[in-house]
Amino acid sequence: MLRFAPSPTGDMHIGNLRVAIFNYIVSKQLNEDLIIRIEDTDLERNIEGKDKEILEILGLFSIEYKSLFYQSANLKYHQKMALQLMTQKKAFACFCSDDKLDELREEAKKEGKPFRYDGFCENLSDETVLNTNAPFTVRIKKPEHNIKFTDLLKGDFDYAPFDIDSFIILRQDKTPTYNYACAVDDMLMDISVVIRGEDHVSNTPKQIHVRNSLGYEKEIKYVHLPIILNAQTGKKMSKRDDASSVKWLIEQGFLPSAIANYLVLMGNKTPTEIFTLEEAIEWFKIENVSKSSAKFDIDKLRFINRKHIELLDEMRLSKILGFADADIGKLGKIFLEEASTIKEIKEKIEPIFTPKNSCEGFEEEFSKLKECLQKAPFFEDYEELKKYVMEQTGLKGKNLFKPLRYILTGVDNGPNISDIYPLVKNYLGEIIK
């Protein structure tokens, strides 16, 4: 069993999506189920509706999953297992106030040391705990031995008890902290492989320690993917980078198939540059992903997006553009010389159907041409239309072609009218009204 476990605390970013895609591919390769677990226990940071947005994005990318879980639904198990750990003296009640902990952090900072809990409440007697009315958190005792694990991509890791510390597993309101809830849920859901970002590497020994303390012996395999960098700045992609948001990329007209293609291609060895997720399942190897940070280049994504638009069926492209006519799909592909996203293609097509009242510098010719076209019979061929208009108006040269192009396309330059006309001839009544 594999899992993709996003938090509903903001837009899904490309790093999250890459993790979801890799989990999906590997689950198919291993013939194991993929589940989605919405990690919603941090109530203060949750944003209403973000869970549904995440699921909609997964649907857009055709990422299939077996089941959907909300982490908050497991609260009774989180609390029950915390009580078990306390009963076994593997966890303890901590009455230290936030002010006290802040004081300890400040002292550690002044001494240039990492902050670690000082163990003040670890050995309180049961009687003292029972007679103390102050609010408390629950901390798991730090391990007695080093925690070791092997990352399938990054190799061996070895963490000392000091690195792991006696960390909080239940907050004062008795909701679980991230590492504790994650560890318990991975155990309950029988997860076999965890694929996630490398910013979680330091969380892994804590989660292993929780499961060890609960007596869970199954080994979970880990893959921690390198972070994604902005190719222009060389820095980690952040929320300030528009392109980091999957929602923004979709709104800009990048196809899900192209985005998925690029996220698999980034920092990876692939047999071909342009492919679908279904094709990637056949040859993808998680161990071939680069151990170094991948660079997100929006221009490279534009190139890949253009290729995926070229591969679209014309009727399918037409529907994406808001029509139901294969000719409009063909028209969209003509504009790929100048455009690379669906949004940009729409911006090229829109002026064709926008009412035109005049053409600067050719006002008289525009008026004469428009009147002629409104009375003209239907012509299958552009050359026949051009011949008819020339005969009826006496216009030629730029006095003909400048205003004629503007009437038919709404712009002064672009692809040849002879290429555009066959694809819009059935809409002339709407174009020249």
Side-chain angles (χ1 to χ4, degrees), residues 281-418:
I281 291 169
E282 299 300 317
W283 46 253
F284 179 82
K285 291 183 179 179
I286 194 77
E287 61 269 24
N288 283 346
V289 176
S290 173
K291 298 176 178 63
S292 303
S293 300
K295 291 185 177 180
F296 186 90
D297 186 342
I298 193 74
D299 291 330
K300 182 66 175 180
L301 177 57
R302 286 182 179 279
F303 167 78
I304 292 173
N305 199 61
R306 191 181 293 116
K307 292 295 183 183
H308 276 262
I309 294 174
E310 288 175 0
L311 293 171
L312 278 178
D313 173 80
E314 275 81 12
M315 181 58 81
R316 173 65 180 149
L317 176 56
S318 168
K319 290 179 179 179
I320 293 173
L321 293 169
F323 293 80
D325 182 349
D327 281 346
I328 298 298
K330 293 174 183 176
L331 178 64
K333 291 187 178 183
I334 285 178
F335 287 113
L336 283 175
E337 292 185 10
E338 306 170 7
S340 58
T341 70
I342 296 298
K343 183 179 179 181
E344 290 170 354
I345 293 174
K346 284 182 177 179
E347 289 171 351
K348 296 290 183 181
I349 292 176
E350 187 178 344
I352 295 174
F353 297 94
T354 300
K356 303 98 178 172
N357 299 316
S358 185
C359 179
E360 187 176 352
F362 299 89
E363 289 82 0
E364 186 177 335
E365 292 86 350
F366 174 90
S367 180
K368 188 182 293 187
L369 268 175
K370 189 169 184 179
E371 183 179 350
C372 174
L373 288 169
Q374 287 172 338
K375 296 177 180 178
F378 177 79
F379 290 100
E380 188 76 30
D381 183 71
Y382 170 67
E383 290 300 322
E384 293 178 3
L385 173 72
K386 184 173 69 173
K387 180 180 177 182
Y388 172 84
V389 170
M390 290 176 72
E391 289 174 352
Q392 295 296 314
T393 63
L395 297 172
K396 58 184 179 180
K398 69 177 182 178
N399 289 331
L400 168 67
F401 296 114
K402 279 278 188 179
L404 181 59
R405 168 179 282 282
Y406 189 74
I407 289 173
L408 295 179
T409 68
V411 293
D412 296 325
N413 49 56
N416 293 329
I417 304 180
S418 57

Side-chain angles (χ1 to χ4, degrees), residues 270-282:
T270 63
T272 182
E273 190 171 44
I274 306 300
F275 50 82
T276 64
L277 273 188
E278 288 69 30
E279 290 167 343
I281 291 169
E282 299 300 317

Side-chain angles (χ1 to χ4, degrees), residues 92-96 100 104 117-124 139:
F92 58 93
C94 177
F95 298 95
C96 296
K100 175 63 177 176
L104 292 173
Y117 179 65
D118 64 0
F120 181 80
C121 295
E122 184 172 341
N123 297 311
L124 294 178
R139 290 180 181 269

